[in-house]
Amino acid sequence: MTRSLETTRPTTAPSRYATFMSRHASLMPTFAAVAILVVLLVGAQARFPRFLSPGNISALLLDNAYLVVLAVGLTFVILTGGIDLSVGSVMAFTGILGASLLAQGIPAVIAVPVMLITGAVIGLLIGILVQYFDVQPFIASLAALFLARGLAFVVSLASIRVEDPAVLWLQRTRFTVAGWYITPTGIIALLAVAIAFFVLLWTRFGRTVYGIGGNEQSARLMGLNVARTKIVVYVISGVCGGLAGLLLTAYSGAGYPRNGIGTELDAIAAVVIGGTLLTGGTGYVLGSLVGVLVYATIKKLISFMGAEQSWTQIIVGALLLVFIVVQRVIVARSQRRR
Amino acid sequence: MKAILKHRLFWPVVALLALVAINTIARPQFILVTLRDGELYGALIDILRNSAPLMLVALGMTIVIATRGIDLSVGAIMAVSGAVALTIIDGSSDPGNLGTVLVALVVAVAVSLVLGVWNGFLVAVVGIQPIIATLVLMLAGRGVALLITEGFITTVNSPPYEFIATGYLVALPVAFLIWVAAVAVIALTERRTALGVLTEAVGINPEASRLAGVRARGIVFGAYVLSGFLAGIAGIIYSSNIRAADANAAGLFIELYAILAVVLGGTSLMGGKFTIAGTVIGVLTIQTLEATILFLGVPSAQSPVFFAIVVIVVVLVQSPRLHRWARGALASAGARRGADAGSRAGVSS
């Protein structure tokens, strides 16, 4: 009662700026992420003249190609208002599984699809638990985290080297243009972003994802296929986990069961910093790419400064906090407007 | 009999007893507890002793979950508290001095209290989703711990400090006594005062309980402070046990195991009703399972597979849909029997 009285607004016409802000409030966190990325890059360039060299920037993307792919898959899940804690473990499991298959002489043509399907199956398991057994996404994906991590150690307790030329080709080939370079792993990561961008913006499935995140009940009443969509987003996240496993295996030339402990948190942080609301319904996959780049730049900057690696975690935590508070303010304002 | 079957702790207790029985059948010395030099030894005693860190963390998690929250930062708080305590002891001229150790303990617990206040502030005052608010500290906390230990694994040799994890008092391990004391204090304050009821009220409906005059914000705040405090003590016990502060390994995944323990004990993650006895049983089940897996010769790295299966089975058993199916199957069986009886009655008439 009192609240509605407090928020009665003056009836003067809002400025153009205010109109823009209110129409595109959901874009604000992503804009903020882009601004932070630019400030970071400019600041880094001012401090280290060689920071913005083409080679360095290329490496920024390629070193984190796996994280980009994980963040893309996670964006789908978070947009529906869910969460997937298993992505780092799935990446480790599919990576070591692929490396082990290749080491047994199975050709990459079979091993790579097996990796992707394994990821999809784990995602499907989470999706079924969430959708049909009313398990909270947090707990269902937690079980998957344990499962995948344990299975990674079942496949092998030690690191397995990859000799397969097709997989190594993904990382060793370099397409160079004027000092910029990109490897097939980088191309795959960018393709994943592009496909996700297209799917989320221009397909019925994408709209359903946003619809569920906005309000699951409404989405169901509108006749959208909520059950199928919710399961599919976890499958997408699982496939992305498998793909990330492939990229990381190619990148490091080996599968290792301890890979990616804590990566799920890096990926969640990247998605949140990129402006996707953890309550679902608002966010952009390009934002997640920006989030990963912010994360990668901080890591690189800290290694340039020769500071302790511990600062990366602290700064990422602090940034995450800033973005959460920004999101909190935005959500509070949009709710008041309603 | 029916009352026992219906009791919410029935299945958790059965699971724990079954695990103990399986172990005892596999190796009879499992159940054996021997008295040596006035100190109890045996596999069961080991389980009770090793439960301490997880038990403390899970206790705090129970209260946090009761308020419909979750605390992901407990592992990081453990790492920080261990790092603080060992850095103070390591920096002093006399690591074996009881006074030094006491100062270290007080400072470490104070730091973890501050971290708990930080979580409570974000959740209760700023109003951020608990999972996200505590994620911040989960990420940054280990960085802070690494900063305190300067990236090294700080090791110390301090008999009074080691006494916390490995010492004995009246024939029982000190670590075990610590968690028993914590359980007793929390159970008494929650169940002998109105606090427990208020906590459940806040968890079931924060808004309604606030309108009813419950100080919801204070109760939620307190839950995170308690969780931080207990995680701090857990960190001290952990670092005392390995005689080192390892910022990366201390409390790794403990938040997940703690949540699992709470769920195993029968507390719903949806908030509201909680059971401390259930959490105790949940933690003991996890520790016994871990001992079993170790005994089976499974490398400890692979043990998460077992825990995953346990989690999945537990959530399926708790799932409302499965209950509906079960009830539906029973009802249709009953209806068929009824229909059979009816048709027979029809024939006879």
Side-chain angles (χ1 to χ4, degrees), chain A:
Chain A
M1 282 289 269
T2 51
R3 179 173 278 185
S4 64
L5 286 177
E6 277 165 19
T7 55
T8 312
R9 288 166 179 235
T11 47
T12 49
S15 68
R16 188 173 289 176
Y17 168 76
T19 317
F20 180 82
M21 286 295 276
S22 68
R23 270 201 201 140
H24 300 279
S26 69
L27 269 172
M28 284 308 130
T30 308
F31 278 159
V34 173
I36 282 198
L37 179 61
V38 171
V39 168
L40 272 175
L41 288 176
V42 170
Q45 175 68 13
R47 178 88 172 70
F48 306 101
R50 281 172 46 210
F51 196 87
L52 279 186
S53 67
N56 203 25
I57 297 295
S58 304
L60 207 62
L61 172 69
L62 299 182
D63 291 349
N64 294 283
Y66 72 94
L67 195 56
V68 171
V69 172
L70 290 182
V72 165
L74 205 54
T75 307
F76 280 88
V77 176
I78 293 181
L79 278 176
T80 64
I83 196 134
D84 187 353
L85 297 176
S86 72
V87 291
S89 301
V90 170
M91 176 177 78
F93 173 43
T94 54
I96 191 83
L97 181 69
S100 151
L101 290 177
L102 292 171
Q104 289 164 25
I106 291 166
V109 188
I110 296 173
V112 170
V114 166
M115 292 167 83
L116 298 182
I117 290 168
T118 307
V121 168
I122 295 177
L124 184 66
L125 173 74
I126 301 175
I128 289 174
L129 283 177
V130 169
Q131 180 57 36
Y132 289 113
F133 294 98
D134 291 333
V135 180
Q136 287 181 349
F138 185 88
I139 296 300
S141 61
L142 178 63
L145 180 156
F146 278 120
L147 187 69
R149 182 65 66 190
L151 288 175
F153 282 104
V154 170
V155 172
S156 166
L157 287 171
S159 156
I160 300 177
R161 278 181 60 82
V162 172
E163 316 280 358
D164 187 84
V167 171
L168 294 180
W169 174 85
L170 289 174
Q171 183 62 26
R172 295 213 176 136
T173 323
R174 281 192 176 190
F175 306 107
T176 313
V177 180
W180 298 83
Y181 65 90
I182 195 158
T183 61
T185 53
I187 294 173
I188 291 173
L190 291 180
L191 262 180
V193 175
I195 294 170
F197 181 80
F198 171 78
V199 167
L200 280 174
L201 234 55
W202 284 305
T203 64
R204 172 189 285 263
F205 173 77
R207 284 167 197 281
T208 311
V209 167
Y210 279 99
I212 293 174
N215 189 331
E216 193 175 329
Q217 191 79 30
S218 313
R220 192 170 288 133
L221 292 174
M222 274 193 284
L224 299 175
N225 197 337
V226 171
R228 195 188 63 197
T229 308
K230 268 176 84 180
I231 290 178
V232 171
V233 293
Y234 289 99
V235 173
I236 290 175
S237 180
V239 171
C240 284
L243 191 58
L246 173 66
L247 296 191
L248 192 62
T249 306
Y251 177 77
S252 57
Y256 185 49
R258 277 186 197 285
N259 269 337
I261 290 181
T263 303
E264 52 279 345
L265 301 173
D266 296 342
I268 293 171
V271 172
V272 171
I273 289 174
T276 300
L277 278 188
L278 274 151
T279 42
T282 310
Y284 304 94
V285 75
L286 287 182
S288 300
L289 175 63
V290 174
V292 172
L293 291 178
V294 167
Y295 180 78
T297 311
I298 293 171
K299 250 194 337 197
K300 190 127 225 166
L301 195 57
I302 281 165
S303 78
F304 259 61
M305 296 199 300
E308 299 282 340
Q309 209 56 39
S310 51
W311 280 106
T312 314
Q313 287 168 298
I314 295 173
I315 293 172
V316 169
L319 257 186
L320 191 64
L321 179 67
V322 169
F323 276 85
I324 290 162
V325 173
V326 167
Q327 293 186 352
R328 173 78 199 145
V329 170
I330 287 170
V331 171
R333 281 173 70 185
S334 67
Q335 276 172 352
R336 222 177 298 150
R337 202 170 293 127
R338 240 176 255 162

